[in-house]
Amino acid sequence: MLRSLTRAAETHHSWHLKLVPFSSLSHTSRPPKPSTHFKPDPKKSTATPAVAAALYDEQERIRQLAADDKNPSLDVGRNGRPLFTSAPSLSHLSRNDVCTYFKLTKDTLNAVLPEGLPVGMVNEFQDSMRKALLVRQSFLDLRDNFRRVVDPPMWSSNGKGVKVRKQVVLDGPVSCGKSIALAMLVQWAREEGWLVLYVPKGKDWTHGGFFYKHPQTGLWDTPVQAENVLKDFLKYNESYLKELPCQIFDPIVLGEGAGVGWLKDADSLAIPEGTNLYELVKTGIEQTHAAVGVVVRLRKELSLVKDRPVLIAVDQVKAFRSMMHDDMMVGAFSHSTAVGKLRKELPDVPADARVMFPRYSLDEAETVCHYYLRQRLIRREAFSEENWKKIYFLSNGNGTEIRGLVPFMR
């Protein structure tokens, strides 16, 4: 079994969560990674028999899954438990929902995460042909940590002995679910009414665009990336920002514009009293010389918001500014984007900020395999406890590898 699987695989208060600077980022240029998902075009008459067969199999699977949706008796997970949770939102998930799947819709995802989804989530949805995510205790712990920070009285009786972290660095091996957990945290926070700045692909800050060393700060400005951050921030938060007045009116230092050099007649931008945060952000989008300065100012403005919790969450990060303060910070470190290793000791970061995310446990892997059986990634005649356990131990709990191996279960 292990040998055949290996061969097959070889052939196929003031609430703030703040993170990472938007300037002083080092530049690493790497070619784009080619897509690993094959999408045959049924209209091409030159399709080979193998392509035609693959297309037929995919269409047949779609048809079968549509029929399966009418049979709720198939929605059974480990130990005969329901495979899908009945919780209406991420806020309602409890320990009883661990090792079940939470259903999502395309409209919900587009509305609550308009900046885009992490790659791992996209691949999971494509391969399983359903928008649903495993409820893990590690996510509930992350969610409840920030619940306790924001509302300590509510959680004081239920969280005795639980350490609350205001600064969190998510770490763990490749494909352990950090990015998905961070995206779920953002969705939960937005559903709770928080003001959230979410960056699902932090590595874009240091790839492509223009890099200018500012003579006043000595830091590297990235105006194109700063403009994109501001555009993404407006996608969900525009209505909130129009209600929030600016509280800092110091002039914003201008930098070098993307591909156009310096302004000859100005080195700063005045912020008139009465300006709101929406107008501030629009200024950074429309004036390339102000983009980086507006992002830096925005971070300071968000730290002064009092009427709602503020979350800044950045994925795929390797560098942090000082976390030695009372503000909250959260982000996920990526071991899969060739940006280095997260050191055991981080400068200017509290010793207990690191939160390790585990790969799938045996119970989680069993649920995942039942889910892939339900989604017809596994043939029912091949599914057995012996077989899914072999795949679990072969992959060492790596979610991506499990998903890639289960179709070859024999």
Side-chain angles (χ1 to χ4, degrees):
M1 173 66 184
L2 288 176
R3 189 177 297 111
S4 63
L5 283 174
T6 303
R7 284 200 302 267
E10 289 175 349
T11 59
H12 292 89
H13 351 313
S14 173
W15 304 291
H16 318 288
L17 299 97
K18 301 173 58 181
L19 190 68
V20 208
F22 295 92
S23 59
S24 72
L25 295 174
S26 59
H27 174 55
T28 304
S29 177
R30 293 182 180 275
K33 190 175 182 180
S35 172
T36 57
H37 291 279
F38 173 68
K39 297 181 179 179
D41 186 350
K43 297 180 181 180
K44 289 186 177 180
S45 59
T46 57
T48 64
V51 170
L55 179 61
Y56 172 81
D57 289 343
E58 180 175 328
Q59 293 174 335
E60 177 64 14
R61 184 179 166 213
I62 292 173
R63 185 193 67 77
Q64 292 173 336
L65 288 174
D68 291 347
D69 285 339
K70 300 175 183 178
N71 185 3
S73 65
L74 297 175
D75 299 339
V76 179
R78 56 184 296 268
N79 298 328
R81 293 184 59 202
L83 186 58
F84 299 100
T85 176
S86 59
S89 70
L90 294 176
S91 181
H92 287 84
L93 293 175
S94 68
R95 291 180 179 273
N96 293 331
D97 299 300
V98 171
C99 285
T100 63
Y101 272 79
F102 181 77
K103 293 181 180 180
L104 297 156
T105 67
K106 181 179 180 179
D107 289 343
T108 297
L109 291 169
N110 288 341
V112 79
L113 297 172
E115 301 90 338
L117 306 178
V119 174
M121 188 181 291
V122 172
N123 292 342
E124 169 69 23
F125 293 162
Q126 288 179 342
D127 293 344
S128 66
M129 292 189 176
R130 180 186 287 273
K131 292 176 174 59
L133 295 172
L134 180 68
V135 179
R136 306 183 66 190
Q137 186 61 51
S138 50
F139 163 70
L140 298 185
D141 291 342
L142 180 66
R143 179 202 65 181
D144 292 345
N145 174 75
F146 291 112
R147 266 184 171 172
R148 293 185 178 99
V149 174
V150 169
D151 196 356
M154 174 183 175
W155 289 90
S156 59
S157 60
N158 297 327
K160 290 183 178 179
V162 176
K163 181 174 180 59
V164 176
R165 292 179 171 87
K166 288 188 176 182
Q167 299 85 26
V168 173
V169 179
L170 303 180
D171 191 16
V174 174
S175 296
C176 69
K178 301 182 294 295
S179 297
I180 290 178
L182 192 64
M184 293 173 71
L185 181 69
V186 171
Q187 178 177 343
W188 165 76
R190 285 178 167 166
E191 290 174 348
E192 292 290 295
W194 292 26
L195 179 61
V196 182
L197 193 160
Y198 174 48
V199 182
K201 296 180 180 179
K203 75 170 184 176
D204 289 348
W205 288 354
T206 57
H207 288 64
F210 297 87
F211 294 78
Y212 305 113
K213 192 169 186 178
H214 201 288
Q216 293 187 26
T217 65
L219 304 177
W220 290 92
D221 289 349
T222 55
V224 173
Q225 290 88 336
E227 178 185 335
N228 291 335
V229 167
L230 295 172
K231 287 179 178 178
D232 280 347
F233 189 43
L234 282 187
K235 289 179 180 178
Y236 188 87
N237 301 299
E238 181 174 333
S239 60
Y240 290 162
L241 298 179
K242 290 180 178 179
E243 300 173 358
L244 296 173
C246 291
Q247 301 184 58
I248 305 173
F249 300 101
D250 298 335
I252 290 178
V253 177
L254 299 178
E256 191 167 351
V260 296
W262 293 87
L263 284 177
K264 295 181 179 180
D265 55 352
D267 59 5
S268 65
L269 176 69
I271 303 298
E273 291 195 25
T275 302
N276 60 40
L277 292 187
Y278 171 77
E279 294 168 331
L280 177 68
V281 171
K282 286 290 287 183
T283 298
I285 294 173
E286 296 168 355
Q287 300 187 31
T288 182
H289 300 89
V292 172
V294 167
V295 171
V296 174
R297 175 62 57 83
L298 178 64
R299 289 192 61 198
K300 295 178 180 178
E301 288 282 1
L302 292 178
S303 70
L304 300 176
V305 174
K306 305 293 183 182
D307 66 343
R308 66 179 70 236
V310 175
L311 167 65
I312 298 179
V314 183
D315 196 7
Q316 299 179 343
V317 191
K318 75 164 184 175
F320 293 81
R321 270 187 175 171
S322 174
M323 297 174 73
M324 307 304 289
H325 46 62
D326 199 43
D327 293 332
M328 293 187 291
M329 301 176 68
V330 60
F333 179 80
S334 174
H335 290 276
S336 59
T337 54
V339 293
K341 297 293 184 180
L342 189 60
R343 299 188 303 185
K344 184 176 181 180
E345 296 182 0
L346 300 175
D348 299 324
V349 174
D352 61 350
R354 187 193 307 256
V355 173
M356 298 300 296
F357 254 58
R359 285 180 172 171
Y360 286 149
S361 67
L362 192 62
D363 288 344
E364 289 174 331
E366 183 177 4
T367 300
V368 167
C369 289
H370 274 89
Y371 175 66
Y372 291 152
L373 175 67
R374 167 63 178 80
Q375 294 305 115
R376 293 183 176 270
L377 270 178
I378 303 174
R379 295 187 305 168
R380 289 195 173 273
E381 62 270 21
F383 184 78
S384 68
E385 180 177 0
E386 179 184 5
N387 281 347
W388 72 254
K389 282 186 175 180
K390 286 179 180 178
I391 288 178
Y392 170 72
F393 290 116
L394 180 66
S395 65
N396 194 28
N398 182 311
T400 301
E401 292 183 7
I402 289 177
R403 191 172 67 246
L405 286 172
V406 291
F408 302 104
M409 190 180 290
R410 297 290 185 267

